[in-house]
Amino acid sequence: MPGSPSLLDALRGAVGPAHVLTDPDVTAGQVRDWSGRFTGTTPAVVRPGSVGEVAAVLRVCCDAGAAVVPQGGNTGLVGGSVPLHGEVLLDLRRFDALYPVEARAGQVTAEAGVTIARLHDHARAAGWEYGVDLSARDSATVGGTIATNAGGSYVMRYGATRRQLLGIEAVLSDGRVVRHLDGLEKDNTGYDLAGLLCGSEGTLAVITAARLRLVPRPTHVVVALLAFDDVERALDGVGELRRAVDSLRAVELFFQDGLDLVCDRLGLARPFARPHRAFVLVEAASGADPTAELADAIEALAGVADSAVAADDRAARDLWRYREGHTEAINQLGAPHKLDVTLPGDQLTAFVEEVRDQVVARAPSATVWLFGHAADGNIHVNVTGVAPDDEGITDTVLRLVARRHGSISAEHGIGTAKRAWLSLVRSAAEIDAFRAIKTALDPARVLNPHVLLPRDDND
Ligand code: FAD
Ligand code: MLT
Ligand code: ZN
């Protein structure tokens, strides 16, 4: 029985009393999501320190009929990392071992609780780099980014998290451990369990470690910010830059209203003398200085109204702040609805034009903020000024996306926030296949049973 003394005693037996937290004042930060839109309750936050302890916790929960929500850095933005149905919260952050970089293979094994920032530092110190980066890097973990198949800013060059994944160690819901961490680039021996667990949002297994591919560390990085007075021109420019600049690794998009908000909230100076319609931030990185290549390509673009090129690392970080500061600045307005969607390239401009109008028509108090990873067609639609539980906002945005043949989740996952809309983009046959996989790996529905799949009779 969730919360019963016998469950808590059994959990204490599994991980030791010091690692079972029950005081609501202590667990408050972990039952509330980063955005503040989703808050749950838990009988206990449990902090296992070994694979055996994870297995023991899952067996205890299985026997007690208690569901479990795995949690890493709790930076997920779709309500999947917090216990919204009174689940036990399984905190993986004690899994913090990071093994030496294997220089011949360009690989590293990291435990699930290692943060992405730590992984970056570790890889860079060995002359390599990890190909996934996101502004939640100081808190987001290896396990959480695998569980969500996190994207971030470098997807156009290196792919999302699944592309970095060469092997995994994970605990199944019955306590058995699957471990395949040898990192062989060529290994056609059966189903790709690592690929399957990647993006499974804690519903299939608890990830405890991973073997990750690294990329060569570029010695030269150049960042530029381009201003456009026309959205279509800006998006055409994105395509042109992709074609012309080999060393490109990030192309990000934002708008004047978002830039103003970031500058006002975070106390930054405006980058240009006058307002513009759209901004494209580009980063090129290479073993040879890409400045001239990037400058030539920018010069050749039509419609660039203004531009700024960072002369050093500090200036580069300052330009990135205009883009990365959006999440923090928007959150200061109150818990937003966050919808991370992808559109086909030829639908982006029309979507950007219509989504603001449609949301405000549905909810006149709403303000719509748009920004994203332009090279991937990934727009983040953030809506403030509406009640956290106003599902009409989600419905309006996701139906527009589906009508334009986009995806309702580019990178954050489905979580609880979007599960009711999965059928907009996945067929009944696909969802049945998802359910069959879930039932095969977690027949007792212990692992995050209320996320990803649409609600059914068992919910
Ligand atoms: P959590 O939030 O703790 O969990 C996320 C999901 O994974 C949950 O369903 C949870 O149950 C599951 N999970 C966590 N750990 C495990 C594990 N060990 N085993 C099994 N399941 C597990 N996302 C992007 O894709 N791109 C971005 O650019 C990006 N930028 C962000 C910027 C900010 C400021 C913030 C706050 C978030 C951003 N995110 C982004 C979202 C978030 O950082 C990612 O989803 C990230 O992958 C979550 O990692 P986490 O460790 O915080 O996982
Ligand atoms: C981003 O691209 O900044 C992240 O995905 C976070 C967000 O959507 O706010
Ligand atoms: Zn993003």
Side-chain angles (χ1 to χ4, degrees), residues 292-310:
E293 184 192 23
L294 185 61
D296 289 350
I298 292 172
E299 179 78 31
L301 288 185
V304 179
D306 211 338
S307 65
V309 179

Side-chain angles (χ1 to χ4, degrees), residues 212-237:
L212 300 166
R213 179 177 288 120
L214 301 176
V215 298
R217 182 179 180 190
T219 46
H220 296 79
V221 178
V222 182
V223 177
L225 181 63
L226 314 180
F228 293 82
D229 290 322
D230 180 280
V231 177
E232 189 75 355
R233 276 273 162 84
L235 294 171
D236 283 346

Side-chain angles (χ1 to χ4, degrees), residues 8 11 13 16 61 72 75 91-92 101 125 139 143 152 207 227 246 249 277 294-295 310 320 375 385 423 435 445 449:
L8 296 178
L11 291 172
C61 290
T75 64
D91 178 341
L92 274 304
V101 168
S139 304
I207 297 158
D246 259 0
R249 70 171 178 181
R277 178 90 177 87
L294 185 61
W320 267 107
S423 59
R435 284 197 203 283
R445 296 171 54 84

